[in-house]
Amino acid sequence: MSRTAIYPGSFDPLTYGHVSIIERGLRVFDRIIVGIAINVRKTPLFSVDERVELIRGSFPEEERLEIDSFQGLLIDYAQQRNCQVILRGLRAVSDFEYELQMANMNRKLDDRIETMFMMTEESHFYVSSGLVKEVARFDGSVRDQVPDHVEEALAEKFAIQKS
Ligand code: PNS
């Protein structure tokens, strides 16, 4: 049986931390669906289409990777797409409580879908999309945190906002 994992998140924008989880996830699962959550309470910097493009830019040839978006509950989307696993990356200890709550809630909603965690690589431990945006907004370098095409997209986005 083929194993499909959903890797959900905001991906606003993709960081090397996300890239590492996707690469390593593809070694374990047959397919990964990156699910960009559309959160009506958040105002993202990048549109869904832009976020899809930035993720695809890091995996142009990877046929086992699908990039999609969803609205509403993650568990409903995971069921619709026949995913057996929800994949999440864990960074510092501070992620743990939030992730534990989500994993428990999702298990209550459907205990056939398992949440699995991958520890973020040491070098990406302190990388977050939020911090990357903050640094890039003020022209700081995010070269070590995001792929080149994401760095360029950030610079372009903030240049437009400032003009
Ligand atoms: O990258 P993020 O923003 O930390 O990802 C959070 C995400 C998208 C996984 C979470 O907010 C989510 O699952 N949203 C969809 C709505 C939902 O199912 N909420 C209940 C989670 S228990």
Side-chain angles (χ1 to χ4, degrees):
M1 190 177 102
S2 132
R3 290 263 155 207
T4 304
I6 164 95
Y7 179 38
S10 306
F11 304 100
D12 186 40
L14 178 84
T15 67
Y16 276 139
H18 298 130
V19 171
S20 163
I21 299 292
I22 295 170
E23 280 173 353
R24 288 155 57 212
L26 284 167
R27 290 188 209 140
V28 178
F29 300 103
D30 299 302
R31 290 182 68 239
I32 292 184
I33 300 172
V34 174
I36 302 174
I38 302 172
N39 184 342
V40 281
R41 280 174 299 152
K42 276 191 192 171
T43 312
L45 180 65
F46 291 98
S47 70
V48 168
D49 287 348
E50 286 170 332
R51 282 180 274 168
V52 169
E53 214 173 289
L54 292 177
I55 299 167
R56 185 46 78 189
S58 279
F59 299 92
E61 312 268 315
E62 186 48 81
E63 286 171 9
R64 293 187 298 127
L65 186 72
E66 182 183 332
I67 305 153
D68 194 14
S69 59
F70 70 96
Q71 243 170 336
L73 285 182
L74 166 62
I75 208 77
D76 291 341
Y77 179 71
Q79 287 166 349
Q80 274 165 31
R81 302 302 316 271
N82 292 319
C83 298
Q84 296 87 358
V85 168
I86 295 169
L87 177 63
R88 292 285 287 171
L90 264 188
R91 289 168 305 189
V93 183
S94 51
D95 282 348
F96 182 79
E97 205 164 317
Y98 170 58
E99 294 296 336
L100 180 69
Q101 279 177 0
M102 279 207 298
N104 277 328
M105 181 59 85
N106 283 325
R107 190 169 44 242
K108 279 205 178 82
L109 294 170
D110 185 343
D111 66 3
R112 295 164 305 174
I113 299 177
E114 197 65 51
T115 300
M116 298 186 81
F117 295 99
M118 277 189 172
M119 302 305 291
T120 300
E121 270 176 65
E122 225 177 2
S123 49
H124 304 132
F125 229 62
Y126 297 102
V127 180
S128 78
S129 299
L131 280 184
V132 159
K133 280 183 283 192
E134 200 168 304
V135 172
R137 186 185 300 275
F138 297 109
D139 300 322
S141 171
V142 289
R143 218 169 114 200
D144 295 338
Q145 280 100 55
V146 298
D148 291 350
H149 66 285
V150 176
E151 191 186 7
E152 281 158 27
L154 280 162
E156 211 173 293
K157 188 65 91 178
F158 288 126
I160 292 168
Q161 282 192 358
K162 281 172 197 162
S163 66

